[in-house]
Amino acid sequence: MQYDLKLIFSHFLTGGAFLSAKPLGKGHINDTFLVEAEGGHPAGYVLQRINHFVFRDVPGLTENKVRITQHLLGQLEKEGVEELERRVTQFLPTHEGSYYHRDGQGNYWNLSLYIPDSVVYETVSNPSIAFEGGKAIGAFQRRLSGLDPETLHETIPHFHDVALRLDKFHKVVEADPCRRAADTPAEIAAILAREAEMRAFMALVHSGAIPRRVTHNDTKISNVLFGQDGHALCLIDLDTAMPGTVLSDFGDAIRSGANPGREDDPDLGKVGMDLGIFTAFAEGYLSEALAFLTPTELDYLAFGAKLITYEQFLRFLADYLEGDVYYQKIQHEQHNLQRARAQLKLLESMERQYGEMQRVVNKLGKL
Ligand code: GN1
Ligand code: MG
């Protein structure tokens, strides 16, 4: 799809004249561009089309982002943190004072300042990067603990509700609209074999035993921005920042960062969880989060990694069976199945190491 990025950019209050735009990042859902503008912010701007088929309430999503980043800014100022412009995303309003623009085709756009000299990691092999990533996620949650989660919009209702996702999965398998279920008996069986365990955990969440907090909900490690010196700067991609559990934030960073293989790696021999990276990440995370976690959250922290990997396996498999209706950015017909298989392999690796993972968290929790 071609967009008139120059025209869209001109609706925002930037003080710069559009020069060029190029695609940025590897997001599965939105379309993101780095815009350079003459006389504007020297590092450029991040212009993002929010997929409004996935995010049904873009005004609500944008309001969340603005409230969350302003709250973070206030906390960072109180803590006396330096280089504030590198430590939190800054969104810009349009000339009409709204933080989103709706174009002539009905697409919604956000604009923020690009943070220069920053790097992202798709996967982590260096424990100090893992520690920093964990610390950044813990600090994000800590700094937002004063914001009432119930005042935020649910940008995707029931996003991490695995029980609801399982209900839907059963319907998709039953209907089998693309006649693909016959190709995936082992994967479907792997979902069913763990269903009771995952539903039991969701019952805890629904009972309130695991508290709802303001969480990021998409903490893949590539959503942590690092400086060139290896220190984490901030979390980006705030579309799903809303009420959630800390376990999915902890778990998703492990799912993405502690696996030396890719999320969709066709070479399953490369896929698995590195316990050393898990440990360093947990150390960093708990250096911030231990002070506010409840004993129940701590007990289930390692489970969070299995949970979110199972959820991702379920989501990719369900979408493959349904005909790639959600994850539409695929490179070939079996891409979502390939993603699902890599997630299953990762989950099995976590299951084998689960005793160790729990020991690591227990030990850190007692410090
Ligand atoms: C999607 O769009 P992106 O890449 O930031 C998805 C996440 C998944 C992730 C898997 C709104 O994130 O939940 O964990 O893909 N985002 C949404 O890579 O569904
Ligand atoms: Mg995202």
Side-chain angles (χ1 to χ4, degrees):
M1 166 102 59
Q2 287 294 315
Y3 307 113
D4 189 345
L5 297 174
K6 183 175 177 183
L7 177 66
I8 293 158
F9 181 79
S10 75
H11 285 276
F12 288 90
L13 205 56
T14 60
F18 182 96
L19 281 177
S20 65
K22 59 176 189 210
L24 183 68
K26 293 189 177 164
H28 291 333
I29 306 292
N30 297 324
D31 297 317
T32 313
F33 303 91
L34 175 61
V35 174
E36 283 187 53
E38 194 174 1
H41 182 57
Y45 301 84
V46 179
L47 182 58
Q48 189 171 55
R49 183 186 76 89
I50 306 297
N51 180 332
H52 59 281
F53 296 100
V54 167
F55 296 102
R56 310 300 298 184
D57 174 14
V58 181
L61 168 150
T62 306
E63 192 186 308
N64 278 8
K65 283 178 168 178
V66 172
R67 286 192 61 211
I68 284 171
T69 50
Q70 287 178 353
H71 189 92
L72 287 170
L73 183 62
Q75 294 299 310
L76 290 161
E77 277 170 354
K78 269 194 215 155
E79 291 170 31
V81 172
E82 287 172 6
E83 288 199 296
L84 287 174
E85 68 287 355
R86 292 171 64 70
R87 302 305 304 275
V88 61
T89 304
Q90 190 184 326
F91 290 95
L92 300 183
T94 62
H95 295 284
E96 291 80 39
S98 163
Y99 279 86
Y100 64 87
H101 168 67
R102 192 157 192 211
D103 70 17
Q105 278 86 52
N107 289 309
Y108 290 87
W109 298 83
N110 287 164
L111 188 79
S112 60
L113 298 183
Y114 180 71
I115 300 180
D117 303 319
S118 52
V119 274
V120 293
Y121 298 93
E122 296 295 326
T123 185
V124 181
S125 54
N126 175 344
S128 84
I129 295 290
F131 181 93
E132 277 289 314
K135 190 165 179 313
I137 292 168
F140 178 88
Q141 295 170 348
R142 172 178 61 74
R143 292 187 177 119
L144 290 168
S145 59
L147 192 61
D148 179 357
E150 304 315 323
T151 63
L152 293 173
H153 302 271
E154 285 210 42
T155 60
I156 300 182
H158 312 291
F159 188 49
H160 286 307
D161 189 334
V162 176
L164 269 184
R165 289 190 182 277
L166 276 163
D167 292 345
K168 190 174 166 214
F169 177 77
H170 284 286
K171 291 194 185 114
V172 173
V173 172
E174 170 101 12
D176 194 15
C178 303
R179 296 276 164 264
R180 286 177 165 182
D183 313 338
T184 64
E187 288 76 17
I188 293 173
I191 292 290
L192 303 183
R194 295 160 176 87
E195 177 167 2
E197 182 192 8
M198 298 299 160
R199 283 194 187 272
F201 173 78
M202 284 316 301
L204 272 183
V205 174
H206 292 144
S207 75
I210 309 273
R212 261 158 75 93
R213 301 183 188 271
V214 179
T215 51
H216 182 284
N217 295 303
D218 186 14
T219 44
K220 51 179 160 186
I221 202 71
S222 58
N223 279 337
V224 181
L225 211 58
F226 287 83
Q228 306 280 3
D229 62 359
H231 283 105
L233 295 170
C234 59
L235 266 56
I236 54 172
D237 188 11
L238 302 173
D239 304 331
T240 50
M242 59 177 164
T245 77
V246 294
L247 307 179
S248 49
D249 278 6
F250 177 84
D252 210 24
I254 300 297
R255 177 187 75 81
S256 53
N259 169 16
R262 295 201 324 256
E263 180 178 73
D264 62 347
D265 216 310
D267 181 356
L268 294 181
K270 290 195 183 130
V271 175
M273 195 204 71
D274 179 324
L275 189 65
I277 296 298
F278 172 87
T279 305
F281 183 85
E283 279 168 1
Y285 177 73
L286 288 173
S287 73
E288 288 282 351
L290 197 54
F292 64 81
L293 292 186
T294 66
T296 313
E297 286 174 308
L298 202 55
D299 279 350
Y300 280 91
L301 206 57
F303 184 80
K306 288 202 297 179
L307 170 79
I308 205 83
T309 308
Y310 177 83
E311 180 188 318
Q312 204 62 70
F313 166 42
L314 174 67
R315 290 175 65 187
F316 286 142
L317 183 61
D319 200 39
Y320 175 72
L321 295 175
E322 221 180 333
D324 314 303
V325 291
Y326 189 87
Y327 289 111
Q328 296 182 358
K329 294 190 186 185
I330 48 173
Q331 281 147 19
H332 54 87
E333 208 188 301
Q334 300 235 311
H335 201 169
N336 280 317
L337 178 58
Q338 181 180 317
R339 288 167 170 158
R341 287 184 171 146
Q343 296 300 295
L344 173 58
K345 177 77 198 311
L346 179 60
L347 175 60
E348 289 167 348
S349 162
M350 289 174 179
E351 288 172 340
R352 275 195 301 279
Q353 302 181 81
Y354 188 49
E356 278 300 317
M357 291 158 71
Q358 280 183 304
R359 268 192 285 284
V360 166
V361 174
N362 285 343
K363 194 168 152 212
L364 293 170
K366 290 201 184 76
L367 294 181

